[in-house]
Amino acid sequence: MNRVTSLDIADLAGVSQSTVSRALRESPLVNPQTRRKIQLIARQQNYKVDSSASNLRSQHSRTIAMLVHQESEMDSDINPFFVSMLASITRAAAARNYDVLLSFQQLSENWIVDYQNSNKAEGIILLGYGGYTDYIRKVELLDGDHVLTWGPVIEGQPGHFIGCDNRQGGYIATRHLLRLGHREIAFLGDISDDCPEMQDRYLGYCRALHKAGIREKPALQATAAPAERSGYLAARELLRRDVAFSAAFCSSDLGALGAVNALREGGLSVPGDVSVVGFDDIPAASYATPALTTVRQDTAGAGKIMVDALLQLVAGEATRSQLIEPELIIRASCRPR
Amino acid sequence: MNRVTSLDIADLAGVSQSTVSRALRESPLVNPQTRRKIQLIARQQNYKVDSSASNLRSQHSRTIAMLVHQESEMDSDINPFFVSMLASITRAAAARNYDVLLSFQQLSENWIVDYQNSNKAEGIILLGYGGYTDYIRKVELLDGDHVLTWGPVIEGQPGHFIGCDNRQGGYIATRHLLRLGHREIAFLGDISDDCPEMQDRYLGYCRALHKAGIREKPALQATAAPAERSGYLAARELLRRDVAFSAAFCSSDLGALGAVNALREGGLSVPGDVSVVGFDDIPAASYATPALTTVRQDTAGAGKIMVDALLQLVAGEATRSQLIEPELIIRASCRPR
DNA sequence: CTGAAAGCGCTTACAG
DNA sequence: CTGAAAGCGCTTACAG
């Protein structure tokens, strides 16, 4: 049994191969009756247009590549936030009739050449970029390529980024704690230049504090990456410092979950002794004990926006950077002072 | 600036286009010096073989499709276990120089036609199949197609499956609880024919009980799907029945996390009053409070095995069904009776 | 509205 | 070891 081609369908339908091709692409040129007949026969024969041939001829692949950054080969835990993004991007792409190639890569590898120059994908979405300073250096060389990154949206930066309004996110998280009467609020997160997103959350935190007439204290900030272990260690460090705090804003849910464990180990109850707010609203946030109050990033909406923005880049249109609005999700990990 | 093709590389290297093609495919026919020269020029020009053209000519795509089953469009929480599988499959495929197309699909959609007949993918890996009875009916029509499913490995079933030795998993989980002195051990999971994997875990549970001279009690079994909410409801149901138990084996970690919450709400401490064992070893299991004792399915190994098995199918070779060995991971959610 | 024909950029038998 | 040539299965201008 040989592969069915458009020529076979043409024979069965008694038309030319060109007409088959047109009918299957919903060309308005072809007679509606003929089109229906051809489509019926194609379905009966389980015929599908050969994508290699179609791609080669038409010079586009209707495929995007989604690269998830990983520091090392071995680290197989993907941040659940990225999993949500990945799912929502894949669905948004499918809705636009695009396929998605998935890959886990390190920054050092040359994905542009691999995916774009081989015509495997028309554009690339990057989830997680590792260190910002290294990444931006790489992006500068990309001029004209179709690469969109989930990350910080910074005035004048090269490349194309879409991300959450992190400053606003940090602001509403901290304001929530302030309104509950907390004054000594710790910040767990990396505020170095390598993490502009967390830095922005920190700036939002500071702004909320200032509005309440409070100055931020370096002793209340502890560096943490978005990982459970990292949040755990940061909270321990904070406890060791022996500085008073009745609340903590963690710049990731994963970090917040770790911090909660560390606080408990230190004999503190959450939210009894310390209120905790996270960031991301990963699934685990809602079924943790206590369920985590957090700042949700709308991944479903973000996926659509990213796919649309990438396809604009591909089409050569201008894309403006867009900020996703964060939303405070109140659960059980905070209590009035 | 036009697209660089193999003809351009040929011109630059002073050889024919055929030789460029051979050199880039590491053909032993071409002179090593010529090959190196061509490869160098190709790299300098950022040239990559056009995959559409290559696929069309050679009639294979070096791509596999990975379909993650979803009941509904809206349900965006992917079981973290599948996330690990997805990552490990993608890595295993990359190691064999295969690309991975990702898609979220419902059982009703016709993925065989979409991916295989269009030559988009040489084979398909399915993660999550929904109801087994419906799925197996679909698989029966697949004869000759290259579809591999993560699921139950059952003697004589149609199609190609790779999965965990669930019976053994259920056995070692239950044996662990028995060795801790528990006698009244609840089972949370779906034991209907639609879930042969959980059914097998239940059979392993029964076997362990029998070996200890205990008969399983229907009152100690509550139906739960692998989801937090479902485990929560099942545990509540169990508490309502007013049957004594000092331990529970939950056939998924997600369900176990929900069950722990329900038990706590019911005034019981874990592991103080009830010991709990889960299944899967998802990341959340290790950072839950208490950290969950569970049965690990080796996803990294499973990914490699699945990709290899699928590529065997594609090559027309026989694949034998394979069972992944489960492993008990002891953490903090169990205590001696 | 339809058909004949060119050609996308490769791979690979064939001839040397 | 190398080159000239055919052809993979489509899409799409061109002509009618």
Side-chain angles (χ1 to χ4, degrees):
Chain A
M1 205 192 84
N2 261 317
R3 213 179 154 339
V4 179
T5 72
S6 58
L7 270 166
D8 301 318
I9 306 298
D11 285 351
L12 288 168
V15 297
S16 73
Q17 186 268 335
S18 338
T19 301
V20 170
S21 179
R22 288 195 193 96
L24 295 177
R25 322 191 82 237
E26 307 287 354
S27 160
L29 286 175
V30 48
N31 180 306
Q33 275 183 35
T34 319
R35 186 202 313 165
R36 270 194 297 277
K37 183 179 169 191
I38 292 171
Q39 289 178 343
L40 179 67
I41 294 174
R43 216 171 311 124
Q44 286 168 343
Q45 303 294 318
N46 273 341
Y47 169 75
K48 275 277 168 180
V49 171
D50 182 292
S51 65
S52 304
S54 170
N55 292 347
L56 172 59
R57 184 54 243 242
S58 63
Q59 296 288 57
H60 37 52
S61 57
R62 288 202 83 84
T63 300
I64 64 178
M66 187 161 54
L67 304 195
V68 182
H69 173 81
Q70 301 235 288
E71 289 300 339
S72 83
E73 262 293 313
M74 288 299 79
D75 119 59
S76 85
D77 288 0
I78 309 165
N79 186 328
F81 173 74
F82 284 139
V83 174
S84 301
M85 283 296 294
L86 189 152
S88 110
I89 289 169
T90 304
R91 270 200 216 86
R96 281 147 193 79
N97 215 2
Y98 266 73
D99 284 317
V100 173
L101 280 172
L102 175 65
S103 183
F104 297 93
Q105 305 250 320
Q106 287 159 268
L107 186 53
S108 56
E109 297 170 43
N110 210 354
W111 18 273
I112 300 292
V113 175
D114 283 355
Y115 287 94
Q116 205 162 293
N117 295 13
S118 68
N119 273 356
K120 280 181 184 172
E122 298 178 15
I124 297 175
I125 288 181
L126 215 97
L127 256 30
Y129 47 79
Y132 181 74
T133 23
D134 278 355
Y135 181 64
I136 213 70
R137 218 172 293 135
K138 183 147 188 169
V139 165
E140 272 167 355
L141 310 169
L142 251 54
D143 181 52
D145 286 303
H146 308 321
V147 177
L148 190 66
T149 309
W150 175 262
V153 176
I154 300 173
E155 191 67 32
Q157 77 188 333
H160 305 276
F161 286 78
I162 284 184
C164 177
D165 188 339
N166 291 300
R167 200 170 301 202
Q168 174 68 6
Y171 180 74
I172 60 178
T174 311
R175 190 180 60 185
H176 177 63
L177 291 168
L178 288 163
R179 284 181 179 167
L180 289 172
H182 297 281
R183 309 276 299 170
E184 311 289 343
I185 303 173
F187 178 89
L188 300 196
D190 186 342
I191 60 171
S192 78
D193 285 350
D194 236 21
C195 292
E197 295 170 275
M198 291 206 170
Q199 211 177 45
D200 268 352
R201 292 171 198 176
Y202 181 69
L203 291 175
Y205 156 90
C206 291
R207 183 155 59 87
L209 290 183
H210 298 170
K211 274 206 174 181
I214 302 170
R215 263 205 79 68
E216 69 274 12
K217 288 195 200 137
L220 280 174
Q221 186 269 328
T223 299
E228 194 271 344
R229 182 85 194 143
S230 188
Y232 174 87
L233 294 173
R236 290 238 302 214
E237 158 73 16
L238 220 50
L239 291 174
R240 209 176 300 121
R241 282 188 204 155
D242 205 30
V243 51
F245 60 96
S246 66
F249 168 40
C250 303
S251 55
S252 75
D253 282 348
L254 243 25
L257 294 174
V260 167
N261 285 341
L263 294 169
R264 276 211 193 107
E265 274 188 27
L268 296 169
S269 124
V270 177
D273 299 311
V274 181
S275 290
V276 172
V277 179
F279 208 105
D280 289 341
D281 196 24
I282 62 175
S286 65
Y287 53 74
T289 330
L292 205 59
T293 292
T294 188
V295 179
R296 172 182 294 164
Q297 308 196 61
D298 172 22
T299 52
K304 286 190 195 105
I305 290 174
M306 290 203 78
V307 170
D308 286 341
L310 184 67
L311 295 185
Q312 282 179 344
L313 277 181
V314 168
E317 296 162 22
T319 355
R320 39 186 201 82
S321 287
Q322 280 176 82
L323 282 176
I324 312 292
E325 211 50 42
E327 182 192 358
L328 184 72
I329 306 293
I330 298 178
R331 297 209 180 89
S333 61
C334 298
R335 191 171 286 178
R337 171 90 231 232
Chain B
M1 204 192 88
N2 262 316
R3 213 179 153 340
V4 179
T5 71
S6 58
L7 270 166
D8 300 319
I9 306 298
D11 284 351
L12 289 168
V15 296
S16 74
Q17 185 267 333
S18 337
T19 301
V20 169
S21 180
R22 287 195 193 95
L24 296 177
R25 324 190 81 238
E26 306 288 352
S27 160
L29 286 175
V30 47
N31 179 307
Q33 276 184 36
T34 319
R35 187 201 312 164
R36 271 195 296 278
K37 182 178 172 195
I38 292 171
Q39 289 178 341
L40 179 67
I41 293 174
R43 214 170 313 122
Q44 286 169 342
Q45 302 293 319
N46 272 341
Y47 169 75
K48 274 277 167 180
V49 171
D50 182 293
S51 64
S52 304
S54 170
N55 293 347
L56 173 59
R57 184 55 242 246
S58 62
Q59 296 288 56
H60 36 49
S61 56
R62 289 202 84 85
T63 300
I64 64 178
M66 186 160 56
L67 304 194
V68 181
H69 173 80
Q70 301 235 289
E71 290 300 338
S72 83
E73 260 294 313
M74 288 299 78
D75 117 58
S76 84
D77 287 1
I78 309 167
N79 186 327
F81 173 73
F82 284 138
V83 173
S84 301
M85 283 296 295
L86 190 151
S88 108
I89 289 169
T90 303
R91 271 200 215 86
R96 281 146 194 77
N97 215 3
Y98 266 73
D99 283 318
V100 173
L101 280 171
L102 175 65
S103 182
F104 296 92
Q105 305 251 320
Q106 287 158 268
L107 187 52
S108 57
E109 296 170 42
N110 210 353
W111 17 273
I112 299 292
V113 175
D114 283 356
Y115 287 95
Q116 206 163 292
N117 295 13
S118 67
N119 274 355
K120 279 180 184 173
E122 298 177 16
I124 297 176
I125 287 181
L126 216 95
L127 256 30
Y129 47 79
Y132 182 73
T133 25
D134 278 355
Y135 180 62
I136 211 72
R137 216 173 293 136
K138 182 147 188 168
V139 166
E140 272 165 355
L141 310 169
L142 251 53
D143 180 52
D145 286 304
H146 307 143
V147 177
L148 189 67
T149 309
W150 175 260
V153 176
I154 300 173
E155 192 67 32
Q157 77 188 334
H160 304 277
F161 286 78
I162 283 183
C164 177
D165 188 340
N166 291 300
R167 201 170 301 202
Q168 175 67 7
Y171 179 76
I172 60 178
T174 312
R175 190 181 60 184
H176 177 64
L177 292 168
L178 288 163
R179 284 182 178 166
L180 289 172
H182 298 281
R183 308 276 301 171
E184 311 288 344
I185 303 172
F187 178 89
L188 300 196
D190 186 341
I191 61 171
S192 78
D193 285 350
D194 237 21
C195 292
E197 294 170 276
M198 291 206 170
Q199 213 178 42
D200 268 353
R201 292 171 198 176
Y202 182 68
L203 291 175
Y205 157 88
C206 292
R207 182 154 61 86
L209 290 183
H210 297 170
K211 275 208 174 178
I214 302 171
R215 263 206 78 66
E216 68 274 16
K217 289 195 201 138
L220 281 175
Q221 186 269 327
T223 299
E228 195 271 344
R229 182 83 193 146
S230 188
Y232 174 85
L233 294 172
R236 290 238 304 211
E237 158 74 16
L238 219 51
L239 292 173
R240 211 177 298 119
R241 282 189 203 153
D242 205 28
V243 51
F245 60 94
S246 65
F249 168 40
C250 303
S251 55
S252 74
D253 283 347
L254 244 23
L257 294 173
V260 167
N261 285 342
L263 293 169
R264 277 209 192 110
E265 274 187 28
L268 297 169
S269 121
V270 176
D273 300 310
V274 181
S275 289
V276 172
V277 179
F279 208 105
D280 289 342
D281 196 24
I282 62 175
S286 66
Y287 54 72
T289 330
L292 206 58
T293 292
T294 189
V295 178
R296 173 182 295 165
Q297 308 196 61
D298 171 22
T299 52
K304 285 190 196 104
I305 289 174
M306 290 204 78
V307 170
D308 286 341
L310 183 68
L311 295 185
Q312 281 178 345
L313 277 180
V314 168
E317 297 163 22
T319 356
R320 40 187 201 80
S321 288
Q322 281 176 83
L323 283 175
I324 311 292
E325 210 53 39
E327 182 193 359
L328 184 72
I329 305 293
I330 297 178
R331 296 208 180 88
S333 61
C334 298
R335 190 171 288 178
R337 170 91 230 230

